[in-house]
Amino acid sequence: MALSVVILAAGQGTRMKSDTPKVLHEISGKPMLFHTIDAAQAVSDDITVVLYHQAERIQQEIEAAYEGIHFHTQDALRFPGTGGAMRGVKTLHTRTLILNGDMPLLTESSLRLLAEGDADINMSIIVPDRPYAYGRVVIENDKVQKIIEEKDCTPEQKQIRHLNAGVYCVSQRVLEEYIPKLNNDNAQSEYYLTDIIQMAVADSRKVHPVIVQEEDFQGVNSKLDLANAERFMQNRIKETLMMQGVTMRLPETIYIDSRASFEGECLLENGVTILGESRLIHAHIKAHSVIESSYIQDSDVGPMGRIRPDTVLKNSHVGNFVEVKKSTLTGVKAGHLSYIGDSQIDEGSNIGAGVITCNYDGKKKYQTIIGKNVFVGSDTQLVAPVTIEDDVMIAAGSTINKNIQKGALAISRAPLKTVQNFFYKFFGKEG
Ligand code: UD1
Ligand code: CA
């Protein structure tokens, strides 16, 4: 069925107590509004986002990530509120799904459920054990009568357990007839979209209540709500991945970005964090490692490894307390305590404990290139830019500040000096 979607995202989000617009706060690596747009795109080809507060910033971010989204600016000074937001919005199709931009947990299936049938209004209702925060839905003789905002409720009305989840599917005539007629005669002096319900009821239009899953319709209004939504989203992401065959040890301790992808048999140990558009193929990430926007294939990392953006690991072993940034390692072992930045390291090379690439001179970053079968001794500093050709041995503790030719040994060390019995002379004890 052809369906239009309008996403309301013009509100200020005061309760977030933040300079960042509410809908741009991130959940599992993406602005919460993007999760809503993703769900909308699964059901509609005509999506309009209503903006006002920080409109330019939000529109820019959407346009950088999506194509074909329409925008409408709310006249929020004259017509504040969710009803004001719908004034003048143009839609393409005969039925329109109205969503809130602060509902990142909406799913394609819950939206489809709301779009079913031919009622003038399908409205979403949740029925939790105890009523809270949401608008209360007055139902008499099994028929929806109206929605009362919590701020406008009498103490008795506050006890109503049917809550307005805030998503509606409405016919074109509802939009055309009722939106222009809304008034702001309420506790917040706002134009409430919720008032279309009683208008439709008064005109004997069909208003159909749809009981929906509370989790999917969680609105995010505060940082507390944000943290709760994040928890739900993480559970979804991890459950999906485990069903796809990713092994997770203590999944409740693992964090995975919604943009990350996995292939083959991957094992994530406890405390692992996977951020950004990471791609893991047959990877084993050991406890408490952090992987950020990187490609990891047939490799293991950690425990306590840190792989920073734009790293490619193939057939490699990266051990504990090793940090790798913007580097490509193919068939490499880097077992312990290293920093590898802006590097390319080839097949069969071994990076000893404590090796550091000195990639930054305070102004610019430089490359370190290491060929095949290179043995880099422990505690070596590689001062970039520098190239180490194939089959080179670098002695432990060396500072390498020029290129090393194929097959050579490189060693830079102050000669070792020993002073016999110095300890006893210094501390005055018998030897
Ligand atoms: C709204 C509903 C409430 C419902 C709840 C569900 C109204 C009057 N109330 O309340 O019944 O239980 O959602 O989550 O509709 N917005 C605009 N322009 C505005 C004001 C808001 O675009 O002038 C947008 C916001 O950006 C937000 C959405 O509308 O994405 C909802 O606004 P919000 O202020 O969060 O409404 P609630 O108080 O949650
Ligand atoms: Ca809300």
Side-chain angles (χ1 to χ4, degrees):
M1 180 211 318
L3 192 67
S4 292
V5 172
V6 177
I7 304 176
L8 307 184
Q12 197 167 5
T14 326
R15 290 167 279 178
M16 290 300 276
K17 306 210 167 29
S18 170
D19 293 335
T20 303
K22 170 159 90 170
V23 294
L24 291 186
H25 283 268
E26 288 188 357
I27 291 180
S28 298
K30 272 198 297 203
M32 66 167 111
L33 178 60
F34 287 16
H35 293 283
T36 316
I37 294 177
D38 291 343
Q41 279 191 326
V43 299
S44 174
D45 61 355
D46 175 41
I47 300 169
T48 303
V49 179
V50 180
L51 297 172
Y52 175 72
H53 285 283
Q54 303 200 53
E56 220 169 285
R57 182 169 163 194
I58 299 170
Q59 183 168 343
Q60 264 172 16
E61 294 225 12
I62 294 173
E63 284 177 333
Y66 296 91
E67 269 172 29
I69 306 284
H70 310 294
F71 296 93
H72 176 83
T73 308
Q74 180 182 354
D75 184 354
L77 294 179
R78 281 172 47 203
F79 299 102
T82 49
M86 286 302 295
R87 272 184 90 94
V89 174
K90 297 272 180 295
T91 53
L92 220 60
H93 301 300
T94 51
R95 287 170 69 76
T96 299
L97 201 52
I98 305 173
L99 316 179
N100 288 354
D102 63 357
M103 290 186 174
L105 295 165
L106 288 171
T107 61
E108 178 186 347
S109 57
S110 54
L111 294 186
R112 287 204 189 281
L113 187 69
L114 265 168
E116 275 174 13
D118 61 354
D120 275 290
I121 302 179
N122 279 344
M123 61 165 300
S124 53
I125 294 182
I126 51 175
V127 196
D129 294 339
R130 272 176 190 212
Y132 63 100
Y134 293 79
R136 306 300 197 270
V137 185
V138 178
I139 299 177
E140 285 163 12
N141 306 322
D142 288 338
K143 287 216 163 100
V144 173
Q145 300 299 320
K146 58 180 170 181
I147 299 170
I148 312 172
E149 286 308 287
E150 184 165 64
K151 284 177 182 147
D152 300 292
C153 277
T154 63
E156 294 79 54
Q157 288 168 333
K158 272 198 182 163
Q159 302 310 313
I160 296 175
R161 276 179 57 223
H162 290 89
L163 309 184
N164 172 30
V167 174
Y168 322 85
C169 186
V170 301
S171 64
Q172 197 64 34
R173 62 178 180 191
V174 167
L175 290 185
E176 282 166 7
E177 285 178 28
Y178 301 139
I179 298 292
K181 285 196 201 140
L182 292 172
N183 64 54
N184 62 350
D185 188 10
N186 52 53
Q188 306 185 81
S189 297
E190 285 187 357
Y191 293 80
Y192 290 168
L193 180 59
T194 45
D195 288 346
I196 60 171
I197 306 296
Q198 65 194 84
M199 292 168 138
V201 169
D203 285 351
S204 304
R205 300 261 197 247
K206 211 163 136 193
V207 178
H208 180 60
V210 182
I211 307 283
V212 296
Q213 294 213 350
E214 194 180 348
E215 178 184 313
D216 295 5
F217 291 78
Q218 294 284 313
V220 173
N221 295 312
S222 65
K223 297 270 170 70
L224 176 63
D225 294 341
L226 186 73
N228 286 331
E230 178 76 272
R231 196 173 295 125
F232 283 122
M233 188 65 81
Q234 279 297 304
N235 286 339
R236 285 182 186 180
I237 291 170
K238 289 182 284 189
E239 278 170 25
T240 308
L241 290 172
M242 285 187 276
M243 293 312 285
Q244 280 171 16
V246 178
T247 306
M248 297 189 200
R249 186 189 292 168
L250 299 181
E252 64 279 11
T253 66
I254 294 174
Y255 184 89
I256 305 178
D257 196 298
S258 56
R259 297 164 297 173
S261 68
F262 295 78
E263 211 181 289
E265 272 203 45
C266 292
L267 166 58
L268 307 181
E269 295 184 7
N270 50 299
V272 161
T273 301
I274 312 280
L275 302 172
E277 280 182 55
S278 291
R279 183 156 170 69
L280 280 74
I281 303 171
H282 290 291
H284 178 183
I285 312 300
K286 296 179 187 171
H288 301 289
S289 297
V290 179
I291 312 290
E292 200 175 343
S293 305
S294 290
Y295 179 97
I296 300 180
Q297 183 179 357
D298 299 306
S299 299
D300 66 282
V301 174
M304 288 162 287
R306 180 167 185 218
I307 309 299
R308 291 173 49 202
D310 301 321
T311 292
V312 175
L313 300 182
K314 286 183 187 164
N315 293 309
S316 293
H317 160 69
V318 172
N320 51 190
F321 304 110
V322 175
E323 174 182 349
V324 185
K325 186 215 81 174
K326 213 176 188 180
S327 297
T328 298
L329 277 59
T330 312
V332 173
K333 289 195 173 99
H336 337 260
L337 298 151
S338 279
Y339 172 59
I340 299 169
D342 304 301
S343 302
Q344 278 180 50
I345 312 179
D346 215 339
E347 211 77 49
S349 290
N350 186 88
I351 308 298
V355 170
I356 303 290
T357 56
C358 310
N359 63 328
Y360 184 50
D361 64 2
K363 280 191 189 165
K364 283 173 79 176
K365 304 276 166 69
Y366 301 94
Q367 290 277 319
T368 299
I369 313 286
I370 299 177
K372 294 186 168 60
N373 308 315
V374 173
F375 181 89
V376 184
S378 296
D379 193 31
T380 292
Q381 302 111 57
L382 298 155
V383 183
V386 69
T387 298
I388 317 293
E389 295 184 0
D390 295 349
D391 309 326
V392 162
M393 284 195 76
I394 297 175
S398 297
T399 301
I400 305 297
N401 56 4
K402 44 180 204 219
N403 297 345
I404 311 292
Q405 254 73 68
K406 186 170 188 287
L409 165 73
I411 176 164
S412 88
R413 253 179 220 172
L416 176 70
K417 194 178 158 192
T418 58
V419 181
Q420 296 302 324
N421 291 317
F422 178 86
F423 182 98
Y424 306 109
K425 283 176 206 150
F426 190 77
F427 290 109
K429 287 184 193 147
E430 285 301 299

PDB file of all heavy atoms in Angstrom, residues 3-7 33-48 69 97 99 106-108 111-112:
ATOM      1  N   LEU A   3       2.066   4.629   0.951  1.00  0.00           N
ATOM      2  CA  LEU A   3       1.981   5.267   2.262  1.00  0.00           C
ATOM      3  C   LEU A   3       2.993   6.414   2.319  1.00  0.00           C
ATOM      4  O   LEU A   3       4.125   6.265   1.861  1.00  0.00           O
ATOM      5  CB  LEU A   3       2.355   4.195   3.291  1.00  0.00           C
ATOM      6  CG  LEU A   3       2.127   4.411   4.759  1.00  0.00           C
ATOM      7  CD1 LEU A   3       0.633   4.477   5.058  1.00  0.00           C
ATOM      8  CD2 LEU A   3       2.741   3.243   5.532  1.00  0.00           C
ATOM      9  N   SER A   4       2.562   7.550   2.861  1.00  0.00           N
ATOM     10  CA  SER A   4       3.526   8.625   3.118  1.00  0.00           C
ATOM     11  C   SER A   4       3.920   8.579   4.592  1.00  0.00           C
ATOM     12  O   SER A   4       3.163   8.071   5.413  1.00  0.00           O
ATOM     13  CB  SER A   4       2.903   9.993   2.813  1.00  0.00           C
ATOM     14  OG  SER A   4       2.678  10.124   1.423  1.00  0.00           O
ATOM     15  N   VAL A   5       5.085   9.089   4.909  1.00  0.00           N
ATOM     16  CA  VAL A   5       5.517   9.152   6.304  1.00  0.00           C
ATOM     17  C   VAL A   5       5.940  10.580   6.628  1.00  0.00           C
ATOM     18  O   VAL A   5       6.645  11.225   5.843  1.00  0.00           O
ATOM     19  CB  VAL A   5       6.703   8.194   6.586  1.00  0.00           C
ATOM     20  CG1 VAL A   5       7.257   8.418   7.987  1.00  0.00           C
ATOM     21  CG2 VAL A   5       6.281   6.737   6.427  1.00  0.00           C
ATOM     22  N   VAL A   6       5.460  11.077   7.762  1.00  0.00           N
ATOM     23  CA  VAL A   6       5.933  12.373   8.259  1.00  0.00           C
ATOM     24  C   VAL A   6       6.601  12.124   9.608  1.00  0.00           C
ATOM     25  O   VAL A   6       6.026  11.474  10.484  1.00  0.00           O
ATOM     26  CB  VAL A   6       4.769  13.376   8.423  1.00  0.00           C
ATOM     27  CG1 VAL A   6       5.293  14.696   9.013  1.00  0.00           C
ATOM     28  CG2 VAL A   6       4.081  13.630   7.091  1.00  0.00           C
ATOM     29  N   ILE A   7       7.827  12.597   9.757  1.00  0.00           N
ATOM     30  CA  ILE A   7       8.555  12.421  11.019  1.00  0.00           C
ATOM     31  C   ILE A   7       8.677  13.778  11.707  1.00  0.00           C
ATOM     32  O   ILE A   7       9.254  14.721  11.141  1.00  0.00           O
ATOM     33  CB  ILE A   7       9.956  11.826  10.779  1.00  0.00           C
ATOM     34  CG1 ILE A   7       9.849  10.497  10.000  1.00  0.00           C
ATOM     35  CG2 ILE A   7      10.681  11.612  12.104  1.00  0.00           C
ATOM     36  CD1 ILE A   7      11.191   9.870   9.634  1.00  0.00           C
ATOM     37  N   LEU A  33      17.366   9.844  15.146  1.00  0.00           N
ATOM     38  CA  LEU A  33      16.465  10.099  14.017  1.00  0.00           C
ATOM     39  C   LEU A  33      16.749   9.163  12.842  1.00  0.00           C
ATOM     40  O   LEU A  33      15.841   8.786  12.108  1.00  0.00           O
ATOM     41  CB  LEU A  33      16.592  11.569  13.576  1.00  0.00           C
ATOM     42  CG  LEU A  33      15.760  12.027  12.388  1.00  0.00           C
ATOM     43  CD1 LEU A  33      14.278  11.851  12.642  1.00  0.00           C
ATOM     44  CD2 LEU A  33      16.054  13.497  12.064  1.00  0.00           C
ATOM     45  N   PHE A  34      18.017   8.787  12.668  1.00  0.00           N
ATOM     46  CA  PHE A  34      18.374   7.902  11.544  1.00  0.00           C
ATOM     47  C   PHE A  34      17.735   6.523  11.712  1.00  0.00           C
ATOM     48  O   PHE A  34      17.366   5.891  10.728  1.00  0.00           O
ATOM     49  CB  PHE A  34      19.895   7.759  11.413  1.00  0.00           C
ATOM     50  CG  PHE A  34      20.585   8.984  10.861  1.00  0.00           C
ATOM     51  CD1 PHE A  34      19.943  10.211  10.823  1.00  0.00           C
ATOM     52  CD2 PHE A  34      21.884   8.902  10.376  1.00  0.00           C
ATOM     53  CE1 PHE A  34      20.583  11.347  10.321  1.00  0.00           C
ATOM     54  CE2 PHE A  34      22.528  10.017   9.871  1.00  0.00           C
ATOM     55  CZ  PHE A  34      21.882  11.236   9.849  1.00  0.00           C
ATOM     56  N   HIS A  35      17.637   6.066  12.946  1.00  0.00           N
ATOM     57  CA  HIS A  35      16.970   4.775  13.163  1.00  0.00           C
ATOM     58  C   HIS A  35      15.505   4.881  12.726  1.00  0.00           C
ATOM     59  O   HIS A  35      14.956   3.965  12.118  1.00  0.00           O
ATOM     60  CB  HIS A  35      17.043   4.361  14.635  1.00  0.00           C
ATOM     61  CG  HIS A  35      18.445   4.043  15.100  1.00  0.00           C
ATOM     62  ND1 HIS A  35      19.075   2.862  14.791  1.00  0.00           N
ATOM     63  CD2 HIS A  35      19.331   4.757  15.840  1.00  0.00           C
ATOM     64  CE1 HIS A  35      20.291   2.862  15.332  1.00  0.00           C
ATOM     65  NE2 HIS A  35      20.469   4.004  15.971  1.00  0.00           N
ATOM     66  N   THR A  36      14.877   6.020  13.044  1.00  0.00           N
ATOM     67  CA  THR A  36      13.484   6.230  12.659  1.00  0.00           C
ATOM     68  C   THR A  36      13.360   6.311  11.139  1.00  0.00           C
ATOM     69  O   THR A  36      12.438   5.735  10.544  1.00  0.00           O
ATOM     70  CB  THR A  36      12.951   7.539  13.295  1.00  0.00           C
ATOM     71  OG1 THR A  36      13.379   7.590  14.653  1.00  0.00           O
ATOM     72  CG2 THR A  36      11.440   7.608  13.256  1.00  0.00           C
ATOM     73  N   ILE A  37      14.282   7.029  10.496  1.00  0.00           N
ATOM     74  CA  ILE A  37      14.255   7.132   9.027  1.00  0.00           C
ATOM     75  C   ILE A  37      14.431   5.746   8.397  1.00  0.00           C
ATOM     76  O   ILE A  37      13.748   5.408   7.427  1.00  0.00           O
ATOM     77  CB  ILE A  37      15.341   8.119   8.518  1.00  0.00           C
ATOM     78  CG1 ILE A  37      15.015   9.550   8.980  1.00  0.00           C
ATOM     79  CG2 ILE A  37      15.465   8.057   6.992  1.00  0.00           C
ATOM     80  CD1 ILE A  37      16.060  10.589   8.601  1.00  0.00           C
ATOM     81  N   ASP A  38      15.321   4.936   8.957  1.00  0.00           N
ATOM     82  CA  ASP A  38      15.520   3.577   8.422  1.00  0.00           C
ATOM     83  C   ASP A  38      14.210   2.788   8.444  1.00  0.00           C
ATOM     84  O   ASP A  38      13.852   2.129   7.462  1.00  0.00           O
ATOM     85  CB  ASP A  38      16.584   2.821   9.230  1.00  0.00           C
ATOM     86  CG  ASP A  38      17.983   3.395   9.027  1.00  0.00           C
ATOM     87  OD1 ASP A  38      18.182   4.135   8.050  1.00  0.00           O
ATOM     88  OD2 ASP A  38      18.859   3.097   9.862  1.00  0.00           O
ATOM     89  N   ALA A  39      13.506   2.855   9.581  1.00  0.00           N
ATOM     90  CA  ALA A  39      12.232   2.125   9.688  1.00  0.00           C
ATOM     91  C   ALA A  39      11.228   2.693   8.685  1.00  0.00           C
ATOM     92  O   ALA A  39      10.505   1.946   8.016  1.00  0.00           O
ATOM     93  CB  ALA A  39      11.688   2.215  11.113  1.00  0.00           C
ATOM     94  N   ALA A  40      11.216   4.026   8.546  1.00  0.00           N
ATOM     95  CA  ALA A  40      10.285   4.679   7.618  1.00  0.00           C
ATOM     96  C   ALA A  40      10.577   4.269   6.183  1.00  0.00           C
ATOM     97  O   ALA A  40       9.659   4.008   5.393  1.00  0.00           O
ATOM     98  CB  ALA A  40      10.371   6.191   7.764  1.00  0.00           C
ATOM     99  N   GLN A  41      11.844   4.203   5.825  1.00  0.00           N
ATOM    100  CA  GLN A  41      12.214   3.854   4.441  1.00  0.00           C
ATOM    101  C   GLN A  41      11.785   2.444   4.064  1.00  0.00           C
ATOM    102  O   GLN A  41      11.576   2.151   2.892  1.00  0.00           O
ATOM    103  CB  GLN A  41      13.725   4.011   4.246  1.00  0.00           C
ATOM    104  CG  GLN A  41      14.118   5.464   3.999  1.00  0.00           C
ATOM    105  CD  GLN A  41      15.551   5.596   3.536  1.00  0.00           C
ATOM    106  OE1 GLN A  41      16.416   4.835   3.953  1.00  0.00           O
ATOM    107  NE2 GLN A  41      15.814   6.579   2.698  1.00  0.00           N
ATOM    108  N   ALA A  42      11.652   1.595   5.083  1.00  0.00           N
ATOM    109  CA  ALA A  42      11.227   0.218   4.804  1.00  0.00           C
ATOM    110  C   ALA A  42       9.752   0.153   4.416  1.00  0.00           C
ATOM    111  O   ALA A  42       9.317  -0.823   3.811  1.00  0.00           O
ATOM    112  CB  ALA A  42      11.492  -0.665   6.023  1.00  0.00           C
ATOM    113  N   VAL A  43       8.971   1.196   4.735  1.00  0.00           N
ATOM    114  CA  VAL A  43       7.537   1.139   4.431  1.00  0.00           C
ATOM    115  C   VAL A  43       7.068   2.239   3.467  1.00  0.00           C
ATOM    116  O   VAL A  43       5.916   2.226   3.037  1.00  0.00           O
ATOM    117  CB  VAL A  43       6.664   1.226   5.717  1.00  0.00           C
ATOM    118  CG1 VAL A  43       6.977   0.061   6.649  1.00  0.00           C
ATOM    119  CG2 VAL A  43       6.839   2.556   6.438  1.00  0.00           C
ATOM    120  N   SER A  44       7.935   3.183   3.138  1.00  0.00           N
ATOM    121  CA  SER A  44       7.464   4.330   2.353  1.00  0.00           C
ATOM    122  C   SER A  44       8.531   4.913   1.436  1.00  0.00           C
ATOM    123  O   SER A  44       9.728   4.876   1.736  1.00  0.00           O
ATOM    124  CB  SER A  44       6.988   5.431   3.305  1.00  0.00           C
ATOM    125  OG  SER A  44       6.664   6.599   2.588  1.00  0.00           O
ATOM    126  N   ASP A  45       8.035   5.488   0.314  1.00  0.00           N
ATOM    127  CA  ASP A  45       8.951   6.170  -0.609  1.00  0.00           C
ATOM    128  C   ASP A  45       8.730   7.689  -0.560  1.00  0.00           C
ATOM    129  O   ASP A  45       9.264   8.427  -1.373  1.00  0.00           O
ATOM    130  CB  ASP A  45       8.726   5.658  -2.035  1.00  0.00           C
ATOM    131  CG  ASP A  45       7.299   5.926  -2.522  1.00  0.00           C
ATOM    132  OD1 ASP A  45       6.476   6.418  -1.717  1.00  0.00           O
ATOM    133  OD2 ASP A  45       7.003   5.643  -3.705  1.00  0.00           O
ATOM    134  N   ASP A  46       7.902   8.126   0.388  1.00  0.00           N
ATOM    135  CA  ASP A  46       7.609   9.569   0.498  1.00  0.00           C
ATOM    136  C   ASP A  46       7.737   9.987   1.962  1.00  0.00           C
ATOM    137  O   ASP A  46       6.782   9.928   2.721  1.00  0.00           O
ATOM    138  CB  ASP A  46       6.194   9.845  -0.031  1.00  0.00           C
ATOM    139  CG  ASP A  46       5.784  11.304   0.177  1.00  0.00           C
ATOM    140  OD1 ASP A  46       6.638  12.201  -0.040  1.00  0.00           O
ATOM    141  OD2 ASP A  46       4.620  11.549   0.560  1.00  0.00           O
ATOM    142  N   ILE A  47       8.940  10.402   2.331  1.00  0.00           N
ATOM    143  CA  ILE A  47       9.222  10.699   3.737  1.00  0.00           C
ATOM    144  C   ILE A  47       9.515  12.192   3.910  1.00  0.00           C
ATOM    145  O   ILE A  47      10.372  12.749   3.219  1.00  0.00           O
ATOM    146  CB  ILE A  47      10.435   9.878   4.230  1.00  0.00           C
ATOM    147  CG1 ILE A  47      10.127   8.375   4.094  1.00  0.00           C
ATOM    148  CG2 ILE A  47      10.803  10.230   5.679  1.00  0.00           C
ATOM    149  CD1 ILE A  47      11.315   7.480   4.289  1.00  0.00           C
ATOM    150  N   THR A  48       8.793  12.824   4.812  1.00  0.00           N
ATOM    151  CA  THR A  48       9.026  14.236   5.106  1.00  0.00           C
ATOM    152  C   THR A  48       9.430  14.380   6.565  1.00  0.00           C
ATOM    153  O   THR A  48       8.780  13.825   7.452  1.00  0.00           O
ATOM    154  CB  THR A  48       7.740  15.066   4.866  1.00  0.00           C
ATOM    155  OG1 THR A  48       7.312  14.863   3.523  1.00  0.00           O
ATOM    156  CG2 THR A  48       7.988  16.553   5.120  1.00  0.00           C
ATOM    157  N   ILE A  69      14.929  12.541   0.945  1.00  0.00           N
ATOM    158  CA  ILE A  69      14.075  12.884   2.084  1.00  0.00           C
ATOM    159  C   ILE A  69      13.583  14.325   1.888  1.00  0.00           C
ATOM    160  O   ILE A  69      14.353  15.208   1.513  1.00  0.00           O
ATOM    161  CB  ILE A  69      14.868  12.791   3.420  1.00  0.00           C
ATOM    162  CG1 ILE A  69      15.537  11.426   3.573  1.00  0.00           C
ATOM    163  CG2 ILE A  69      13.986  13.156   4.617  1.00  0.00           C
ATOM    164  CD1 ILE A  69      14.639  10.292   3.957  1.00  0.00           C
ATOM    165  N   LEU A  97       1.547   8.063   7.658  1.00  0.00           N
ATOM    166  CA  LEU A  97       1.973   7.596   8.963  1.00  0.00           C
ATOM    167  C   LEU A  97       2.737   8.744   9.624  1.00  0.00           C
ATOM    168  O   LEU A  97       3.663   9.295   9.026  1.00  0.00           O
ATOM    169  CB  LEU A  97       2.887   6.399   8.733  1.00  0.00           C
ATOM    170  CG  LEU A  97       3.164   5.360   9.780  1.00  0.00           C
ATOM    171  CD1 LEU A  97       1.886   4.809  10.372  1.00  0.00           C
ATOM    172  CD2 LEU A  97       3.972   4.232   9.131  1.00  0.00           C
ATOM    173  N   LEU A  99       5.119   9.892  12.589  1.00  0.00           N
ATOM    174  CA  LEU A  99       6.039   9.342  13.589  1.00  0.00           C
ATOM    175  C   LEU A  99       6.713  10.468  14.354  1.00  0.00           C
ATOM    176  O   LEU A  99       6.820  11.590  13.861  1.00  0.00           O
ATOM    177  CB  LEU A  99       7.152   8.528  12.918  1.00  0.00           C
ATOM    178  CG  LEU A  99       6.793   7.557  11.805  1.00  0.00           C
ATOM    179  CD1 LEU A  99       8.059   6.895  11.287  1.00  0.00           C
ATOM    180  CD2 LEU A  99       5.832   6.509  12.340  1.00  0.00           C
ATOM    181  N   LEU A 106      11.408   2.185  16.794  1.00  0.00           N
ATOM    182  CA  LEU A 106      10.339   1.775  15.871  1.00  0.00           C
ATOM    183  C   LEU A 106      10.880   0.748  14.880  1.00  0.00           C
ATOM    184  O   LEU A 106      11.999   0.876  14.407  1.00  0.00           O
ATOM    185  CB  LEU A 106       9.830   2.990  15.082  1.00  0.00           C
ATOM    186  CG  LEU A 106       9.009   4.001  15.862  1.00  0.00           C
ATOM    187  CD1 LEU A 106       8.770   5.240  15.017  1.00  0.00           C
ATOM    188  CD2 LEU A 106       7.683   3.387  16.307  1.00  0.00           C
ATOM    189  N   THR A 107      10.066  -0.260  14.561  1.00  0.00           N
ATOM    190  CA  THR A 107      10.511  -1.267  13.600  1.00  0.00           C
ATOM    191  C   THR A 107       9.573  -1.278  12.398  1.00  0.00           C
ATOM    192  O   THR A 107       8.443  -0.792  12.474  1.00  0.00           O
ATOM    193  CB  THR A 107      10.478  -2.676  14.214  1.00  0.00           C
ATOM    194  OG1 THR A 107       9.129  -2.968  14.591  1.00  0.00           O
ATOM    195  CG2 THR A 107      11.381  -2.778  15.419  1.00  0.00           C
ATOM    196  N   GLU A 108      10.066  -1.862  11.322  1.00  0.00           N
ATOM    197  CA  GLU A 108       9.263  -1.984  10.108  1.00  0.00           C
ATOM    198  C   GLU A 108       7.945  -2.707  10.410  1.00  0.00           C
ATOM    199  O   GLU A 108       6.870  -2.252   9.994  1.00  0.00           O
ATOM    200  CB  GLU A 108      10.060  -2.756   9.054  1.00  0.00           C
ATOM    201  CG  GLU A 108       9.282  -2.964   7.786  1.00  0.00           C
ATOM    202  CD  GLU A 108      10.012  -3.863   6.786  1.00  0.00           C
ATOM    203  OE1 GLU A 108      11.218  -4.121   6.968  1.00  0.00           O
ATOM    204  OE2 GLU A 108       9.353  -4.296   5.830  1.00  0.00           O
ATOM    205  N   LEU A 111       5.390  -0.628  12.257  1.00  0.00           N
ATOM    206  CA  LEU A 111       4.802   0.401  11.384  1.00  0.00           C
ATOM    207  C   LEU A 111       3.782  -0.213  10.418  1.00  0.00           C
ATOM    208  O   LEU A 111       2.723   0.363  10.180  1.00  0.00           O
ATOM    209  CB  LEU A 111       5.896   1.127  10.598  1.00  0.00           C
ATOM    210  CG  LEU A 111       6.863   1.971  11.445  1.00  0.00           C
ATOM    211  CD1 LEU A 111       7.811   2.749  10.544  1.00  0.00           C
ATOM    212  CD2 LEU A 111       6.106   2.932  12.360  1.00  0.00           C
ATOM    213  N   ARG A 112       4.097  -1.370   9.900  1.00  0.00           N
ATOM    214  CA  ARG A 112       3.155  -2.043   8.983  1.00  0.00           C
ATOM    215  C   ARG A 112       1.841  -2.342   9.694  1.00  0.00           C
ATOM    216  O   ARG A 112       0.760  -2.175   9.131  1.00  0.00           O
ATOM    217  CB  ARG A 112       3.760  -3.338   8.446  1.00  0.00           C
ATOM    218  CG  ARG A 112       4.853  -3.087   7.439  1.00  0.00           C
ATOM    219  CD  ARG A 112       5.051  -4.266   6.490  1.00  0.00           C
ATOM    220  NE  ARG A 112       6.250  -4.048   5.694  1.00  0.00           N
ATOM    221  CZ  ARG A 112       6.317  -3.249   4.632  1.00  0.00           C
ATOM    222  NH1 ARG A 112       5.251  -2.594   4.226  1.00  0.00           N
ATOM    223  NH2 ARG A 112       7.452  -3.083   3.989  1.00  0.00           N
TER     224      ARG A 112
END
